[in-house]
Amino acid sequence: MAEDWQVVGKNVDEPSYRTVSSDGRETLNFVTNTLPHQRRVIEEYDQLYKRHQDLTKFFDTDLYRSLSVEERNRLKEQSLFMSEYQRVLLERIRAF
């Protein structure tokens, strides 16, 4: 675990525990009793989070501003769907 991460809660009886980085990013880490399908959901959440962060950073670039209004709208819509998808995955993970 990187130095800028802080464990928010950990219980060895639970399948995972949450950590929060100094920039506020929440992630879930595995404990030995995490089931394979739970690990896949956690990995999917982590990948989606990274992709969504990259997309939102793209919004602040000249390339993004050079796109047509229609394309910018599609990317904003994509970002909204990604946020909702993240929310659902995190809800599932918290229920493990």
Side-chain angles (χ1 to χ4, degrees):
M1 186 164 24
E3 290 178 12
D4 65 337
W5 291 83
Q6 166 192 5
V7 175
V8 172
K10 182 177 180 183
N11 180 341
V12 292
D13 296 327
E14 295 177 3
S16 60
Y17 63 92
R18 294 182 306 129
T19 57
V20 176
S21 70
S22 58
D23 66 357
R25 177 179 170 222
E26 179 178 344
T27 192
L28 290 117
N29 297 290
F30 309 129
V31 187
T32 55
N33 61 341
T34 305
L35 299 172
H37 75 281
Q38 292 170 328
R39 288 179 188 224
R40 287 191 299 274
V41 172
I42 292 168
E43 289 167 357
E44 183 176 354
Y45 171 83
D46 228 22
Q47 291 169 0
L48 179 61
Y49 179 90
K50 291 171 187 166
R51 289 183 184 136
H52 189 223
Q53 286 298 104
D54 290 344
L55 179 58
T56 57
K57 288 176 187 172
F58 178 64
F59 293 155
D60 291 328
T61 67
D62 289 334
L63 178 57
Y64 172 77
R65 288 185 283 277
S66 74
L67 299 173
S68 69
V69 171
E70 294 83 7
E71 184 62 12
R72 289 193 311 255
N73 287 339
R74 285 188 287 268
L75 288 168
K76 289 289 187 177
E77 185 175 22
Q78 177 180 333
S79 177
L80 292 172
F81 282 111
M82 291 172 88
S83 293
E84 186 63 13
Y85 188 18
Q86 275 181 255
R87 185 196 62 77
V88 172
L89 288 175
L90 193 56
E91 191 176 306
R92 289 183 62 206
I93 291 165
R94 287 181 172 150
F96 289 162

